[in-house]
Amino acid sequence: MPLRALALSLLFALPAPAPAPAAEAPPPTSPALSAPDAATAEFLAAVEPLITSAERAAYLALTRSYQRQAFERRFWEVRDPFPETPRNELQERFRERLRLARERFPSPTDERFRLTLLLGEPIRRVPLRCAELLQTGEIWFFAATGRIPHGFTLVFVSGGVSAGAPHRLWSPRSGYQELLLWQIPPTGDVAAELAERIPRDCPRGEEILGGLAAASDWSELEREYEVIPRPNPEWVRTFLAYSTDLPQGAPPLTAEVEIHFPGRNQSRTIVDASVIVDAKSLRGDGAGSAPPDAGRELPPALGLLLDGEVLRGDELFDHFRYRFELSAERLRAATTLPFSARRFLRPGSYTLVLRLQDPASGRVFRRELALEVPPPGSLAPQLSLAAAALASPPGTTGTAATAAIEVAGAAAGTAGPAGAAITATSAITAIEPSLRLLAPTDQLTIGRVRVEADVRGVVPARVDFALDGKPLLSKRRPPFSIEFDLGRSPRFRRLSAAAFDRAGELVAADEVLLNGGPHRFALRLTEPQRTPGTGKPLEARAEVDLPEGEVLDRVEFYLNETRLATLYQPPYAVSLTAPAIDGLTYLRAVAFLAGGGAAEDVRVLGANSDGEAVEVDFVELYASALDKRGRPVTDLAAGDFRILEDGSEQVVRRFENFDRKTDRMEAGNREDVQPPETVDLLPIHAGVMIDTSASMIEELADAEVAAHRFFREVLTPVDRAAVITFADAPRLAVRFTNKLDVLAGGLAGLQAEGETRFHDSLAFALHYFSGVRGKRALILLTDGDDSESRFRFEEVLEYARRTGVTIYAIGLNVPSKPVEAGVHLDQLARETGGRSFRIRRANELASVYETIRQELRSQYLLAYQSSRIDGSTGFREITLEVLRPGVSVRTLSGYYP
C-alpha cells in the first residue's frame, strides 16, 4: 500500500467521536430586561468566540447603554495579555481579524469567520475541489501561533457544491465519509481506493491528500492549548455588584440628597454628594415598616455601600464606591445620618446617579439627578439640593424622579421637578490649599540637588524645608525652592516642606522619600491639617504612591481603631464628623494593594497629657535555618528563636512558617504571637544580576540557561522576578514580572564586553528593589572585581543595610588577588542575611540556584516591635539565635529605623 494510502487508512480507522456535550444553557432571561438593540447584537456577534455564557447573560441583563459600554471596556481589559503596557494587544489583534473576517466571510455562522477571529490568516490555503467526489471546501495550513507551539492544519467543508455557502470544520475523528459528495458502501480497501483517486481526479490532489492526512481536531487543540482566553469569572460578579440599578422588590430606604460645591481642586470643582438617611428607616422602624420592637437587638455594626455614577451625555464618565461602617450606638442615637462622596469634576453638564444600600436588610435608596457643575473660579453661588425623600418604587430599574441643579440665575426657594429646593449660599472662590514637592524620587540621587515646592490655593507667608527631620531653610517669597547636598553615599533621605500663613498656622505640607526606589508603596494623610471643633466637618484626604506595576484595591479610614469608611477609587477623600477629643484620638488611613500588601499613615487629633504616641511599625526578619549539612530546617517554632536588638532581647509578636511534612501551619507556643500564615506562599521578588563584562565571555551561555531554569522552578503566579546585567554600566534587562517568556527574552543573547562597574551597578540594583515589601532576594553572579566605579564598597554596603535586600553572592572564578574581591562578596551576603558561593564554571550554577530556591521557600518570618523608644536613627544591630542544637540561622545583621 502506498504511504499516502496508509496514512489515510489510519485516519479513517479512528473511532467515531462520542456525542458532544450539550452546550451550557444560558440562564433564563428576566421578562423585565430590555430587548438587545443593534449595537448590543453587533457586539455579541463579534465576540461570540470569546464570550462565556455567564458574561453573555450579565451583558444582556444591563438596561442602560452606558452600562453596556462600560461592560465592553471591562470585557477587553480582563483579557489584556500584557496589562502593564498601555496597549491591549489582544483587542487590537481581534479588531483587525474581525475586519478581515467580515470582508471575506459575510456570515458569522461560517466557521471560517470564527477561526479567522481566533487565529488570523493561515500561511497557506488549498481549495478543496474535486467534482463528483468531494464536497467543496478549503484546507488551511498554520504555523505556530501565540498559544499553539507547532504548525497545524484545519479542513473546512461547505456541505454542498457552492463555494459561497457557509463552511463548517471537519474533524478527522468523524471519518473520511463526511467529506464525500455521495455516500459509498464501506469496503475493505476504500481508503486505498480514495487515496488513489484524490491525486488522480482532483486538481492539486497531492496537496489535498497531504492536508487531509495532517488535519488536526480543532476541539482537541483548543482544549489542550487553551486557545480561547478565559479570565476569572469573578470579574462579572464584581462588575454587577457596582451597578446603581434598583434591585427588583427591594424595600425602600428613606433619604434625601444634598449637593455642595465647597471649592476647587486645581482646575476642577469639588463636588460633595451626600445621602442624608432617616435613621428610623435604617433601623427598620420608619414609615411603612413593621411596628418597632423595643427589645430588638441591632447588629453591632452596619456596613452601608454608596455606589455612584457620573454620566456625561450617554457615556459613563466616572464611577465610585464608598463603604461606611456604622456602630449600633450611633444608629440608635441618631435622627439623620449623612453618607458623603467627594468628586473633582470639570465644569459642565452631568447626570449623577446615587444608590445607598444596606446589604443586611436589603433596603435601598436610589436617585438620579441632572447636575450642572459651575466653573471653579467663577462667582456663581454654591448650591445645595435636597432631593425627594422616598426611593424609587420597588421593582423599577429605570430613572427615578429627576431633580435639576441650575447654577446661573437660580433663585432661592425654586422647586425642582422632584420637590428639590435650590438655595444660594456662599460663592465659590477658594482653591483648596496644596503643596507638592517636585523631587527626583524615581532615580538614585547623590550630590547637590534642587527641589521646588509647588504651592497652590494659598499665598504662604513662608515655606519651611527639612531634611530627615532637621531644618534646612525657610523661604518667605517665591520661588519656593531649595538646593542642598545629599553627600556622595547613596542612602534614604526624607525631605519635607510646610507652608504657613501670616498667623503662623499650617496650611499645606508634603513629604517625599529620596532614593526610595520605583517600588515604594506609601500613603500620606494630607488632610486634616488641623483638628476642627467637635461636631464640625472633618475633611480626611490621603495620597497614595503606588509601586511600579501594582494596582490599588482600596483605602480605609479609621478613627482610632474603628473603621469609618472604605474608598475604592480616587480621590481618596471623605468628609467625616469631628469627634469629641478625650485622651488619645487619631485618624488613620490604610491603603491595600490588590495583590497583597498595605501602607498606612496616622494623624493625631488629640493626645493624653503624658504625650502617649501611636506606634504601629514592626521589624520583620526573614530567617533561614539550616542543619549541619546545609539543608533547610522547617519544623522550628517561635520558642526556638531568640532576638536581640543592640543586646536587648525582643518579644516576638508575629511568627510564620510552613511544615511540609504535614502540609499545615505550625504556630509558635507563645500566647501573644499572632496567628501564622503560609510563608511558603508569600510573594517573592527575586532579581538575577549577571556580570556581562569581558571576563564572562565563556560563561554567559551557561549562565543564561541556569537563570532561566531558576525562574521556571521558583516563580509562582504571585512572585515577580527581574533581570539586571552590568559591565560598563547597569542595565535593567527585564522589569519585575512573572512571565517566563519575557524573562527568557531578557536573558537571551547576552554579550560579554567592557569593564566591570560592580559597585555602581549594585547600588542601581538595590535602588530598584527599594520599596518592595516582603521576601526580596538579589542573586549576584560576578567575579567580584571592580573597575572605575564612583561608589566605594563601604558606601554600597551601607546602602545594602538600609534597603534590607537579601543578597546571594555567587563568585565565579574569583581571583586570589586582590583578596578584597572575595571578601566583599562574603560580607555582602553575611550582612544582608544571604549566602555566598564559590564556583569555577557557570555549568555549576544549576545546583547553586536550586539551593537558593529551597532556602527562599523555607524561610521563617519573625516580627517584633522594638523596645527602643529613644527616637534614635542610627544602625541597630540584630542578633538572631536558634535554641535547637545543630541548627544555624541567618538573617540581616541590623536595620535603620
Side-chain angles (χ1 to χ4, degrees):
M1 180 183 297
L3 288 177
R4 60 177 179 268
L6 176 61
L8 283 175
S9 66
L10 293 175
L11 185 66
F12 302 155
L14 290 172
E24 183 180 355
T29 303
S30 168
L33 299 181
S34 60
D37 55 20
T40 299
E42 182 179 4
F43 171 76
L44 291 176
V47 301
E48 188 277 332
L50 301 180
I51 196 166
T52 67
S53 59
E55 290 171 333
R56 180 188 296 273
Y59 182 68
L60 289 173
L62 301 175
T63 59
R64 310 290 185 88
S65 62
Y66 74 85
Q67 294 173 333
R68 288 176 175 166
Q69 292 169 10
F71 184 98
E72 292 169 13
R73 287 194 296 270
R74 187 63 182 150
F75 175 89
W76 290 113
E77 287 173 1
V78 299
R79 287 167 167 80
D80 187 351
F82 305 107
E84 64 272 16
T85 66
R87 298 169 49 208
N88 188 327
E89 292 80 0
L90 175 64
Q91 186 179 12
E92 291 177 4
R93 189 166 59 244
F94 198 85
R95 283 174 175 167
E96 176 57 27
R97 290 174 178 176
L98 179 61
R99 182 193 62 78
L100 185 64
R102 286 173 172 168
E103 287 178 358
R104 296 188 175 174
F105 315 110
S107 173
T109 61
D110 192 322
E111 290 199 305
R112 293 174 299 178
F113 186 103
R114 184 169 69 93
L115 270 296
T116 298
L117 290 177
L118 294 176
L119 302 172
E121 282 269 63
I123 58 174
R124 187 162 59 99
R125 284 189 179 88
V126 173
L128 197 58
R129 303 284 189 273
C130 195
E132 299 182 358
L133 181 61
L134 300 177
Q135 297 183 43
T136 300
E138 290 182 349
I139 303 176
W140 289 10
F141 297 88
F142 288 90
T145 67
R147 289 179 178 261
I148 303 176
H150 56 75
F152 57 96
T153 302
L154 298 177
V155 178
F156 300 87
V157 292
S158 68
V161 295
S162 171
H167 285 45
R168 59 179 175 80
L169 266 171
W170 173 74
S171 168
R173 295 178 59 86
S174 63
Y176 191 73
Q177 292 274 2
E178 287 202 359
L179 295 174
L180 302 178
L181 275 175
W182 315 105
Q183 296 296 314
I184 60 174
T187 62
D189 61 351
V190 63
E193 179 182 346
L194 294 178
E196 292 292 337
R197 289 190 60 185
I198 289 175
R200 186 185 67 221
D201 300 339
C202 304
R204 303 175 68 173
E206 290 288 353
E207 291 181 272
I208 292 174
L209 187 62
L212 296 178
S216 302
D217 185 290
W218 170 248
S219 61
E220 292 180 0
L221 285 176
E222 182 181 357
R223 181 170 57 254
E224 180 178 358
Y225 296 107
E226 299 179 351
V227 177
I228 301 176
R230 298 296 186 194
N232 190 327
E234 183 66 27
W235 84 265
V236 177
R237 290 185 285 272
T238 302
F239 183 90
L240 295 178
Y242 277 73
S243 170
T244 58
D245 283 347
L246 189 64
Q248 194 168 7
L253 187 62
T254 305
E256 60 184 21
V257 173
E258 290 185 358
I259 305 293
H260 297 278
F261 307 108
R264 71 181 187 180
N265 180 268
Q266 298 182 17
S267 63
R268 298 177 182 241
T269 300
I270 301 174
V271 181
D272 283 344
S274 299
V275 179
I276 314 298
V277 179
D278 185 340
K280 291 183 179 180
S281 176
L282 198 54
R283 291 193 296 262
D285 53 19
S289 303
D293 182 357
R296 178 170 61 86
E297 286 292 330
L298 294 173
L302 291 180
L304 280 79
L305 292 175
L306 176 61
D307 289 292
E309 294 171 333
V310 180
L311 312 181
R312 178 182 284 173
D314 294 332
E315 294 186 1
L316 180 64
F317 176 76
D318 182 25
H319 71 92
F320 53 89
R321 164 168 282 194
Y322 288 60
R323 179 181 175 88
F324 296 94
E325 308 291 334
L326 182 65
S327 67
E329 292 76 14
R330 187 182 175 197
L331 179 57
R332 285 195 188 93
T335 303
T336 58
L337 293 162
F339 301 96
S340 301
R342 169 164 287 190
R343 315 310 292 167
F344 302 150
L345 299 178
R346 297 188 186 279
S349 300
Y350 302 87
T351 299
L352 175 65
V353 185
L354 295 170
R355 188 185 75 170
L356 182 69
Q357 183 177 21
D358 173 17
S361 66
R363 293 183 177 88
V364 182
F365 169 85
R366 183 186 186 279
R367 186 64 72 243
E368 185 168 326
L369 310 167
L371 182 64
E372 195 72 28
V373 177
S378 72
L379 297 179
Q382 172 177 318
L383 304 177
S384 170
L385 176 142
L390 295 178
S392 304
T396 63
T397 57
T399 304
T402 300
I405 305 177
E406 299 294 344
V407 177
T414 303
I422 302 175
T423 57
T425 57
S426 61
I428 303 177
T429 56
I431 301 176
E432 187 177 22
S434 66
L435 185 154
R436 184 187 176 198
L437 283 168
L438 306 179
T441 57
D442 59 346
Q443 61 190 37
L444 188 60
T445 306
I446 60 172
R448 298 199 66 81
V449 62
R450 174 173 289 275
V451 175
E452 181 181 352
D454 181 19
V455 183
R456 301 189 181 188
V458 66
V459 179
R462 74 177 196 274
V463 175
D464 293 348
F465 294 89
L467 185 65
D468 297 330
K470 298 178 181 179
L472 277 180
L473 182 68
S474 181
K475 297 205 69 173
R476 299 181 179 275
R477 62 176 61 88
F480 297 107
S481 60
I482 183 173
E483 185 175 348
F484 55 97
D485 192 351
L486 289 174
R488 59 167 285 109
S489 299
R491 55 177 293 191
F492 300 134
R493 308 301 294 269
R494 195 171 295 278
L495 178 69
S496 61
F500 296 86
D501 61 17
R502 295 186 182 278
E505 294 289 334
L506 177 68
V507 292
D510 192 21
E511 181 180 273
V512 295
L513 181 66
L514 302 176
N515 296 330
H519 303 289
R520 178 173 181 257
F521 180 32
L523 176 144
R524 305 186 311 279
L525 273 169
T526 57
E527 294 288 341
Q529 295 292 342
R530 59 177 67 90
T531 304
T534 301
K536 299 294 184 180
L538 174 64
E539 305 296 336
R541 184 175 179 185
E543 300 287 344
V544 181
D545 296 329
L546 273 181
E548 182 181 78
E550 295 289 350
V551 176
L552 190 65
D553 181 66
R554 66 191 186 279
V555 173
E556 297 179 349
F557 288 90
Y558 292 78
L559 188 62
N560 291 347
E561 294 306 305
T562 301
R563 184 171 58 190
L564 300 178
T566 304
L567 282 64
Y568 295 88
Q569 293 86 22
Y572 300 106
V574 64
S575 179
L576 307 170
T577 302
I581 304 299
D582 182 15
L584 179 65
T585 305
Y586 54 91
L587 179 71
R588 184 163 68 97
V590 187
F592 295 89
L593 293 177
E600 65 179 79
D601 192 16
V602 175
R603 182 67 54 87
V604 177
L605 304 178
N608 292 326
S609 58
D610 60 3
E612 179 180 356
V614 180
E615 179 60 61
V616 295
D617 291 336
F618 280 81
V619 179
E620 292 186 345
L621 304 178
Y622 287 92
S624 300
L626 305 175
D627 62 16
K628 293 181 178 179
R629 298 175 60 182
R631 297 174 301 187
V633 177
T634 61
D635 61 346
L636 298 175
D640 294 321
F641 292 93
R642 183 168 178 256
I643 301 176
L644 302 176
E645 182 182 292
D646 289 337
S648 299
E649 186 167 0
Q650 306 296 311
V651 177
V652 178
R653 298 292 185 185
R654 182 182 180 194
F655 176 78
E656 302 173 5
N657 79 318
F658 190 72
D659 184 349
R660 285 168 170 75
K661 294 180 180 178
T662 60
D663 196 33
R664 64 185 175 84
M665 296 305 303
E666 294 288 342
N669 55 11
R670 302 185 185 180
E671 292 182 357
D672 58 350
V673 174
Q674 294 183 7
E677 298 176 4
T678 308
V679 173
D680 183 67
L681 299 179
L682 288 178
I684 294 175
H685 282 75
V688 169
M689 186 175 175
I690 300 177
D691 185 345
T692 58
S693 60
S695 60
M696 293 285 292
I697 192 168
E698 297 181 0
E699 308 294 346
L700 277 186
D702 288 333
E704 291 174 19
V705 173
H708 186 259
R709 178 179 176 183
F710 171 75
F711 290 142
R712 187 173 63 248
E713 295 182 355
V714 78
L715 290 183
T716 70
V718 299
D719 299 323
R720 298 292 184 270
V723 177
I724 300 171
T725 63
F726 68 98
D728 294 325
R731 184 175 74 91
L732 182 60
V734 180
R735 296 179 178 274
F736 278 125
T737 181
N738 62 355
K739 295 181 172 61
L740 288 175
D741 56 342
V742 177
L743 291 165
L747 290 167
L750 297 180
Q751 299 293 323
E753 57 186 2
E755 299 294 329
T756 310
R757 291 190 173 179
F758 171 40
H759 300 158
D760 290 355
S761 300
L762 181 56
F764 170 86
L766 291 170
H767 177 260
Y768 183 67
F769 267 82
S770 295
V772 175
R773 300 172 67 89
K775 288 187 182 182
R776 299 170 297 166
L778 180 61
I779 302 163
L780 169 64
L781 175 63
T782 182
D783 58 13
D785 194 17
D786 180 86
S787 59
E788 301 182 350
S789 278
R790 59 174 177 165
F791 291 131
R792 299 188 301 269
F793 172 76
E794 293 74 17
E795 294 170 337
V796 177
L797 177 63
E798 181 73 4
Y799 190 42
R801 287 172 173 164
R802 292 180 181 276
T803 60
V805 178
T806 302
I807 297 177
Y808 291 87
I810 307 173
L812 176 61
N813 283 327
V814 177
S816 57
K817 292 183 180 181
V819 69
E820 289 84 3
V823 172
H824 287 171
L825 294 179
D826 294 340
Q827 190 173 0
L828 281 169
R830 183 174 62 253
E831 295 278 349
T832 61
R835 193 169 177 180
S836 184
F837 302 85
R838 293 287 186 277
I839 60 176
R840 299 188 65 84
R841 295 298 303 272
N843 57 14
E844 302 174 50
L845 278 170
S847 61
V848 174
Y849 281 143
E850 174 59 20
T851 300
I852 296 173
R853 185 194 69 81
Q854 292 180 5
E855 191 166 301
L856 289 174
R857 287 298 178 195
S858 60
Q859 286 181 321
Y860 297 85
L861 171 60
L862 301 98
Y864 69 92
Q865 194 170 8
S866 177
S867 60
R868 292 188 61 174
I869 57 174
D870 57 6
S872 64
T873 59
F875 186 74
R876 300 182 180 184
E877 185 175 337
I878 292 175
T879 303
L880 181 62
E881 301 174 352
V882 62
L883 305 181
R884 181 181 296 184
V887 178
S888 61
V889 65
R890 294 195 320 273
T891 191
L892 53 86
S893 62
Y895 74 100
Y896 286 90

